[in-house]
Amino acid sequence: MHKEPLYSLKGKSVWVAGHRGMVGSAIADRLGKEDCEILAVSRREVDLRRAEQVEAWMERMRPDAVVLAAARVGGIFANDSNPADFIYDNLMIEANVVDAARRFDVEKLVFLGSSCIYPRLAAQPISESALLSGPLEKTNEWYAIAKISGVKLCQAYRRQHGCDFISAMPTNLYGPRDNFDLMTSHVLPALIAKAHVAKEERAASLDVWGSGLPRREFLYVDDAADAVVHLMKHYSGEEHVNIGTGVDLPIADLAQLVCDVVGFRGALRFDVSKPDGTPRKLLDVSRIAELGWRPRVSLEEGIERTYLWYLQNQAGPRVRAHVEA
Ligand code: GFB
């Protein structure tokens, strides 16, 4: 059922800020199916942390719409180890892009946040109304504060200037073009890289960080991209909207599923010297379902597609994993 869009992308120019990242590139691909012009600029040409460079780009290109998918992102270890980078870069990027979008009359902007904005112990599944209702998870509170500020920026510019700026809160995303570096990545790509090398090296076991007990929800990046475009067309409001599958699983089960897909038959070893992070962050996805959107790619199929991409693009001697020989 495709009701008339609130905002039509037909004939519009859409700037995808962060077009080279996993999410930004998937959104650019998905926008390729719309009758719109996609604008992109490299980090070398425009450093989004510098207001004057963002303004010059916006004045020159004057996009009709903006997808703000540019961010400094990383897994639990990267967040925990680089708090200043995560809060500064993300605050500067969102403040510069949102303010320039208002000044150059952008008709529609969608800001991409993350499910880590919610309190560490929010009631599960987490509804949008749980925002700011309790303390944050310590390992990524810097990134979370920056992303919460992004949501507030969009709300404030809607209130004061009437801007049609919306916020989307995706759950943990994964897929092609993800970061597979074992120290800075998220769990799913890290497990794919580890399982692949463990299989190639006939290792006895594979290291999983933490206890394996935390639960996580995973959405394939092409589904996330489709949801973002759906919200651009069909949603206009102050409150952010969760994007997810509504299903989660323990990290230990995820690790076993990845090993099954990759074909590694060794044991899992749980390294409890590494942080577990928040025990659970399952999103309540009833609002986006009411807006007519549902995910399509199952976790197993998504892992298969991601592993295929990894084999075609990343696998090779330079992938060093911390596996038991
Ligand atoms: O994906 P991840 O790094 O981030 O970790 P979060 C999820 C869970 O997987 C944690 C465990 O309990 C990790 O300890 N894990 C097991 C691993 N093995 C590994 C591994 O080899 N690598 C990694 N990275 N984790 C992030 C936030 O939290 O969620 C980000 O830090 C962002 O800011 C992202 O919000 C969506 O899910 O814990």
Side-chain angles (χ1 to χ4, degrees):
M1 160 277 262
H2 285 276
K3 57 183 191 291
E4 272 310 294
L6 285 175
Y7 179 74
S8 169
L9 289 167
K10 195 168 171 45
K12 304 288 183 167
S13 60
V14 185
W15 174 29
V16 180
H19 71 290
R20 293 184 59 78
M22 174 183 73
V23 180
S25 54
I27 291 171
D29 289 350
R30 172 60 184 77
L31 285 170
K33 297 176 187 159
E34 303 288 325
D35 173 16
C36 66
E37 179 197 4
I38 298 165
L39 303 178
V41 63
S42 72
R43 197 183 306 217
R44 216 175 337 96
E45 254 187 285
V46 176
D47 180 341
L48 299 178
R49 297 168 305 176
R50 299 290 166 260
E52 65 285 357
Q53 294 186 30
V54 175
E55 278 178 36
W57 160 258
M58 289 289 268
E59 184 161 27
R60 183 152 54 94
M61 305 307 286
R62 292 183 185 270
D64 298 310
V66 174
V67 176
L68 181 40
R72 174 182 282 271
V73 296
I76 191 163
F77 188 75
N79 270 268
D80 211 13
S81 323
N82 306 283
D85 294 344
F86 274 83
I87 193 163
Y88 175 78
D89 287 8
N90 289 307
L91 279 177
M92 296 310 287
I93 289 168
E94 59 202 29
N96 292 336
V97 174
V98 167
D99 188 57
R102 193 267 305 172
R103 265 185 291 116
F104 292 98
D105 303 319
V106 163
E107 298 166 345
K108 190 85 180 185
L109 176 142
V110 55
F111 167 70
L112 267 75
S114 165
S115 58
C116 73
I117 64 170
Y118 292 114
R120 172 180 163 77
L121 300 175
Q124 310 278 329
I126 308 172
S127 83
E128 287 87 352
S129 58
L131 185 61
L132 295 173
S133 63
L136 296 169
E137 157 60 31
K138 284 292 171 211
T139 54
N140 57 35
E141 64 179 334
W142 327 98
Y143 180 71
I145 291 279
K147 287 297 181 179
I148 291 168
S149 302
V151 172
K152 289 299 172 188
L153 270 167
C154 292
Q155 284 176 356
Y157 276 68
R158 174 180 291 272
R159 269 201 206 164
Q160 184 173 338
H161 301 296
C163 300
D164 189 2
F165 295 176
I166 61 174
S167 293
M169 285 308 121
T171 188
N172 287 41
L173 304 180
Y174 71 99
R177 293 185 289 263
D178 203 344
N179 165 18
F180 288 84
D181 172 81
L182 296 187
M183 294 318 288
T184 61
S185 70
H186 289 101
V187 58
L188 215 154
L191 289 175
I192 288 176
K194 288 181 184 179
H196 175 76
V197 174
K199 179 180 77 171
E200 296 297 293
E201 297 183 353
R202 292 180 174 66
S205 69
L206 172 151
D207 254 17
V208 179
W209 292 356
S211 66
L213 295 174
R215 299 177 69 93
R216 289 293 185 273
E217 175 187 12
F218 297 96
L219 180 68
Y220 187 63
V221 71
D222 288 0
D223 271 339
D226 187 56
V228 166
V229 173
H230 185 87
L231 290 177
M232 285 182 84
K233 293 160 75 172
H234 298 289
Y235 179 67
S236 174
E238 261 204 12
E239 190 163 62
H240 53 288
V241 181
N242 288 340
I243 300 177
T245 62
V247 176
D248 67 357
L249 76 168
I251 292 300
D253 294 7
L254 174 76
Q256 191 51 58
L257 178 56
V258 167
C259 292
D260 295 347
V261 168
V262 167
F264 172 61
R265 311 232 179 286
L268 300 177
R269 235 175 51 116
F270 294 91
D271 172 3
V272 291
S273 74
K274 293 286 192 315
D276 270 345
T278 191
R280 197 175 188 204
K281 46 178 179 174
L282 173 66
L283 295 183
D284 174 343
V285 290
S286 50
R287 288 205 54 208
I288 196 164
E290 284 155 25
L291 288 166
W293 184 85
R294 277 178 185 66
R296 284 190 280 245
V297 180
S298 72
L299 182 56
E300 184 165 6
E301 184 187 341
I303 295 171
E304 286 165 356
R305 291 192 202 179
T306 308
Y307 183 42
L308 182 63
W309 185 88
Y310 173 82
L311 290 175
Q312 292 164 344
N313 295 274
Q314 298 270 317
R318 57 198 169 89
V319 175
R320 303 308 310 155
H322 309 285
V323 294
E324 283 305 296

